[in-house]
Amino acid sequence: MAQLDTLDIVVLAVLLAGTVAYFTKGTYWGIPKDPYAGAYASANGTKAAKTRNIVQKMDESGKNCVILYGSQTGTAEDYASRLAKEGSSRFGLKTMVADLEDFEYDSLDTFPDDKIAFFVLATYGEGEPTDNAVDFYEFITGEDVTFGQGGGVDDKPLSPMKYVAFGLGNNTYEHYNSMVRRVNAALEKLGAKRIGEAGEGDDGAGTMEEDFLAWKEPMWSALATSMGLEEREAVYEPVFGVTEKEGMSAEADEVYLGEPNKNHLEGASKGPYNAHNPYIAPIAESKEIFTVKDRNCLHMEIDVSGSNLSYQTGDHIAIWPTNAGKEVDRFLNVLGLSPKRHMVISVKGLDPTAKIPFPTPTTYDAAVRYHMEICGPVSRQFVSTLAPFAPDESSKGEMSRLGSDKDYFQEKISSRYLNIAQTLEMAGGSEKWTTVPFSLLIEGVHKIQPRYYSISSSSLVQKNKISITAAVESITIPGEPHIVKGVTTNYLLALKQKQHGTTDPDPHGLTYDITGPRNKYDGIHVPVHVRHSNFKLPSDPSKPIIMIGPGTGVAPFRGFVQERAAQAKSGQQVGKTILFYGCRKKTEDFLYQKEWEEYKELLGDSFELVTAFSREGPKKVYVQHKLKEHSKQINDLLLERANFYVCGDAANMAREVNIVLGQIVSEQRGLPETKGEEIVKAMRSSNQYQEDVWS
């Protein structure tokens, strides 16, 4: 056998290395990264969780208390953060806040009895889990749930586990706080021991914050007794470290000026587009659809061509808002930050489990403008936290009183809809709150959330353009000089004005950074993503449908009727399609009046529009009154298994419609009223009765 010379050996070694490299690509190297997994990790200097085992994560990070949250709008996440801070500062607990979707839960049977788990759970829609809580909910409530050590329900596998529970709900929905109730029942069934009462906050009654505050004090007392905790004087301990980068320019390529993640920063935005990664969509069309000057309602067409975003008729579109310049200025001014609004800052978690709410480095201005909910409701607990940083004793006393006296707080803050900057202005007079740590503001002011709107177009008719119908929010408070303006709808109004030629739009005195960070929204663009909904037309177009949608509640029904008109035009058989629509006056706010006439031509007798104009007669007439007038027709359609849909105000209209429908069923069928209510409840359970409502 011939001997190998040195060159042969080198060549063979190179070939062998190349072969190994080829077959290990994607396993040990060249692994494609999800650009949005741990979206801010690389920007913030924090590391994404290495494990999805929650017990292991707690052990690795030295924690004895985890606060898990299921949140749709950010409120549950905020409560979780507040509980974590309070548990740490008052009782010395080693706390961590965790998003339910970041972990798996088959390891809960190893949860030790010297640790505590909190569950802060919002109920979404018709008794559904929030998007980030779906997997956890399906696992923990599953009939055949099995844990890592093999135990099932009968084995009480969670018997060592102690937990605390608080739910966020709305009593205008039938399934009020069903998430916390069902999860609590499941945990107890599996042997876990709850500490204190399972709290319930009610957004429908407007008492969510006070419900939370009233619940947590006895809960802390019960937990302290159970775990042998000693309360200490609470002092502020920052979760984040904020460092000013005096030598760095705000125009530096690595500085985030409002971009939501690294790909957007680098100008290479790409999908998938979702709640962590918006698509910067062009607004193809915008117009005013009210005919009065003192109120606005917008129709917009959002172009999603080429984004791979898809929707189905009945889904929701999320608009990512920008705070108004006036409110950004107010916030920065009262805190004494105006002179250094463009100062670059770096934010880092002082704890390995801290979740930074926006990418850094950034600037004070960008953080406040694009990432912080500075116009949201003020928390009484947060006011108490700010009191020690007041500019003088008078301001400190005022803030302490506001934080401790709920009636005084209601009178001075809540009833006047003051935001946090207005509260500081009121309490401090002309003084600036220069000693408030910016880390405390990051912790105490919610992360700004996308706003969801029912899509008002049919995906069958226009798959690449999404229609939205939005009334511009404006609340006048009697005796107050300020008017409360909707954050997102006024932003959309400014975009509409810009598209129609206004050089510097300022709806209601509000200005917006319309062109976005580094002019990336120039040309009338808006950040969006799509959220899928269960509010859907029947798959069989011949099935009858009944729709109740006053005001902008008509939005999804425009899409429904648009779709049925297209189906009829293509020769399909379309079932009875009846829409109950209400507004103030036919001449002022009758949305899509001409369109309904066009759909009528295509659908013929299959389509019927019933209108209620509340301000045109001696008595106010609403959709529920018109529904009652058509009792026989409604009952006949229900007997034909018609789907029944309601969209709009949950607190009044939707509740009244529910009651009236029960009365119609009982009266038309000769049944007791209680039986009519039971039938309506069964319709809900079977998805024959569907709601897309808000409070």
Side-chain angles (χ1 to χ4, degrees):
M1 183 177 178
Q3 290 191 335
L4 298 173
D5 61 21
T6 304
L7 180 60
D8 292 332
I9 293 170
V10 171
V11 171
L12 284 171
V14 171
L15 288 171
L16 177 62
T19 303
V20 170
Y22 178 81
F23 285 106
T24 58
K25 182 179 180 182
T27 303
Y28 298 108
W29 74 283
I31 301 170
K33 294 182 179 179
D34 178 353
Y36 311 113
Y40 310 135
S42 60
N44 296 327
T46 60
K47 294 181 180 178
K50 292 181 179 178
T51 176
R52 287 181 60 81
N53 180 319
I54 187 64
V55 178
Q56 184 180 338
K57 180 65 178 178
M58 293 178 73
D59 289 341
E60 287 177 355
S61 51
K63 305 299 182 184
N64 62 359
C65 174
V66 60
I67 298 95
L68 296 146
Y69 65 85
S71 185
Q72 197 71 30
T73 63
T75 307
E77 182 179 0
D78 174 60
Y79 283 2
S81 297
R82 286 160 61 179
L83 288 167
K85 283 190 64 64
E86 195 169 353
S88 173
S89 62
R90 283 180 63 185
F91 298 98
L93 287 166
K94 304 299 181 184
T95 60
M96 65 176 280
V97 177
D99 187 328
L100 277 168
E101 70 180 355
D102 287 346
F103 296 93
E104 292 168 355
Y105 298 93
D106 55 357
S107 63
L108 285 180
D109 58 343
T110 64
F111 202 94
D113 60 6
D114 62 343
K115 298 184 190 294
I116 184 74
F118 283 61
F119 293 92
V120 183
L121 304 169
T123 298
Y124 169 61
E126 288 301 298
E128 301 156 27
T130 56
D131 292 345
N132 73 316
V134 171
D135 290 345
F136 165 73
Y137 175 74
E138 291 179 350
F139 172 79
I140 207 72
T141 59
E143 292 183 8
D144 56 350
V145 58
T146 303
F147 292 89
Q149 296 187 339
V153 175
D154 295 338
D155 304 305
K156 304 293 182 187
L158 302 189
S159 54
M161 181 180 178
K162 299 187 185 79
Y163 73 96
V164 168
F166 183 80
L168 296 82
N170 186 317
N171 70 15
T172 61
Y173 292 80
E174 182 182 2
H175 302 284
Y176 171 62
N177 259 314
S178 63
M179 263 298 286
V180 74
R181 294 177 183 183
R182 291 171 186 166
V183 168
N184 178 59
L187 291 170
E188 288 186 330
K189 187 177 180 181
L190 292 163
K193 180 185 176 184
R194 190 185 69 246
I195 305 299
E197 295 298 317
E200 294 185 355
D202 186 1
D203 190 44
T207 58
M208 179 72 78
E209 177 71 13
E210 292 302 330
D211 293 339
F212 174 72
L213 296 178
W215 162 80
K216 71 180 182 66
E217 287 309 316
M219 178 278 295
W220 284 127
S221 177
L223 185 61
T225 301
S226 174
M227 295 186 70
L229 304 175
E230 290 188 13
E231 186 170 1
R232 60 191 187 184
E233 184 179 355
V235 293
Y236 173 63
E237 298 172 351
V239 174
F240 304 111
V242 180
T243 305
E244 294 184 347
K245 302 284 189 179
E246 294 189 18
M248 183 178 285
S249 167
E251 298 304 316
D253 290 345
E254 65 269 32
V255 176
Y256 290 81
L257 297 181
E259 295 91 349
N261 55 47
K262 193 170 185 178
N263 278 348
H264 282 269
L265 176 68
E266 295 174 348
S269 167
K270 57 186 177 182
Y273 297 108
N274 52 36
H276 305 289
N277 180 42
Y279 173 59
I280 310 304
I283 297 175
E285 179 188 341
S286 60
K287 61 183 179 181
E288 173 65 55
I289 51 177
F290 277 175
T291 56
V292 286
K293 292 185 177 181
D294 61 336
R295 293 185 295 142
N296 299 96
C297 187
L298 305 175
H299 175 89
M300 287 185 160
E301 298 284 344
I302 312 295
D303 190 343
V304 293
S305 304
S307 68
N308 282 328
L309 275 176
S310 63
Y311 77 101
Q312 292 180 320
T313 309
D315 282 346
H316 302 133
I317 186 169
I319 305 292
W320 292 47
T322 297
N323 282 313
K326 178 180 178 180
E327 294 303 332
V328 174
D329 293 345
R330 185 200 304 274
F331 186 90
L332 294 172
N333 181 59
V334 76
L335 292 160
L337 292 172
S338 293
K340 52 182 181 179
R341 66 191 307 153
H342 299 301
M343 170 73 73
V344 176
I345 57 172
S346 174
V347 182
K348 290 189 176 181
L350 299 179
D351 181 282
T353 65
K355 189 175 180 181
I356 300 164
F358 48 79
T360 75
T362 186
T363 65
Y364 288 116
D365 185 284
V368 174
R369 188 178 301 276
Y370 291 102
H371 299 294
M372 298 171 70
E373 193 76 81
I374 59 172
C375 294
V378 179
S379 154
R380 186 158 63 87
Q381 186 177 5
F382 186 45
V383 167
S384 291
T385 307
L386 289 169
F389 302 99
D392 53 41
E393 287 302 313
S394 173
S395 305
K396 183 177 180 179
E398 179 68 5
M399 292 291 275
S400 297
R401 183 182 176 188
L402 287 167
S404 60
D405 186 335
K406 70 176 183 180
D407 293 330
Y408 188 64
F409 184 83
Q410 170 65 25
E411 175 194 344
K412 293 291 185 178
I413 309 298
S414 298
S415 66
R416 299 169 66 194
Y417 295 87
L418 297 189
N419 60 38
I420 188 61
Q422 289 170 323
T423 299
L424 297 179
E425 286 177 339
M426 183 204 73
S430 59
E431 297 294 322
K432 301 285 190 288
W433 294 66
T434 56
T435 61
V436 179
F438 197 68
S439 56
L440 176 55
L441 298 167
I442 297 172
E443 296 160 28
V445 179
H446 292 199
K447 178 183 176 182
I448 198 164
Q449 296 293 320
R451 270 53 165 186
Y452 292 95
Y453 297 88
S454 301
I455 293 174
S456 56
S457 54
S458 161
S459 56
L460 178 69
V461 176
Q462 48 181 77
K463 68 175 184 177
N464 290 323
K465 281 187 182 177
I466 293 176
S467 301
I468 61 171
T469 308
V472 179
E473 295 177 79
S474 175
I475 304 172
T476 302
I477 303 115
E480 293 295 328
H482 67 284
I483 299 174
V484 182
K485 299 295 181 184
V487 172
T488 308
T489 53
N490 281 278
Y491 169 49
L492 291 175
L493 179 56
L495 287 167
K496 178 254 177 187
Q497 290 177 350
K498 180 74 171 179
Q499 189 167 47
H500 287 261
T502 304
T503 306
D504 297 304
D506 60 341
H508 306 120
L510 303 178
T511 58
Y512 293 85
D513 192 358
I514 285 176
T515 59
R518 294 183 169 90
N519 294 321
K520 289 174 181 175
Y521 303 173
D522 201 9
I524 319 298
H525 287 68
V526 65
V528 303
H529 72 270
V530 170
R531 182 177 71 188
H532 297 297
S533 162
N534 294 321
F535 195 75
K536 292 287 179 282
L537 278 165
S539 55
D540 178 3
S542 68
K543 190 173 183 179
I545 60 171
I546 304 160
M547 301 165 288
I548 319 293
T552 55
V554 81
F557 303 136
R558 176 181 181 265
F560 282 18
V561 177
Q562 189 181 71
E563 182 150 318
R564 289 208 150 185
Q567 289 168 331
K569 189 176 181 179
S570 69
Q572 296 184 64
Q573 181 184 347
V574 173
K576 185 67 177 180
T577 303
I578 182 169
L579 169 63
F580 289 83
Y581 171 71
C583 63
R584 293 184 184 180
K585 293 184 178 181
K586 185 176 182 177
T587 56
E588 292 184 0
D589 51 2
F590 190 173
L591 301 183
Y592 305 115
Q593 182 177 359
K594 290 183 179 178
E595 282 192 31
W596 303 126
E597 295 170 3
E598 294 167 6
Y599 297 141
K600 177 69 175 176
E601 288 182 14
L602 289 167
L603 287 163
D605 291 340
S606 295
F607 178 57
E608 184 177 351
L609 176 66
V610 180
T611 54
F613 302 114
S614 62
R615 307 287 175 89
E616 289 195 349
K619 292 197 301 184
K620 290 185 178 180
V621 178
Y622 297 114
V623 286
Q624 56 265 34
H625 302 134
K626 291 293 184 178
L627 189 67
K628 193 69 181 287
E629 289 177 12
H630 289 72
S631 291
K632 184 179 185 309
Q633 182 184 18
I634 296 302
N635 183 60
D636 290 346
L637 289 171
L638 292 179
L639 292 173
E640 294 175 28
R641 304 299 299 165
N643 275 14
F644 190 88
Y645 301 93
V646 181
C647 182
D649 165 48
N652 299 302
M653 180 276 297
R655 179 173 283 184
E656 287 294 319
V657 166
N658 185 80
I659 292 169
V660 167
L661 188 62
Q663 294 170 349
I664 288 172
V665 170
S666 63
E667 291 169 8
Q668 290 295 311
R669 302 181 192 181
L671 301 170
E673 196 165 303
T674 53
K675 184 64 177 174
E677 293 169 0
E678 288 175 15
I679 290 171
V680 171
K681 193 170 185 178
M683 287 172 59
R684 288 177 173 274
S685 299
S686 67
N687 228 27
Q688 185 184 358
Y689 188 135
Q690 298 180 35
E691 286 185 323
D692 181 3
V693 295
W694 56 84
S695 57

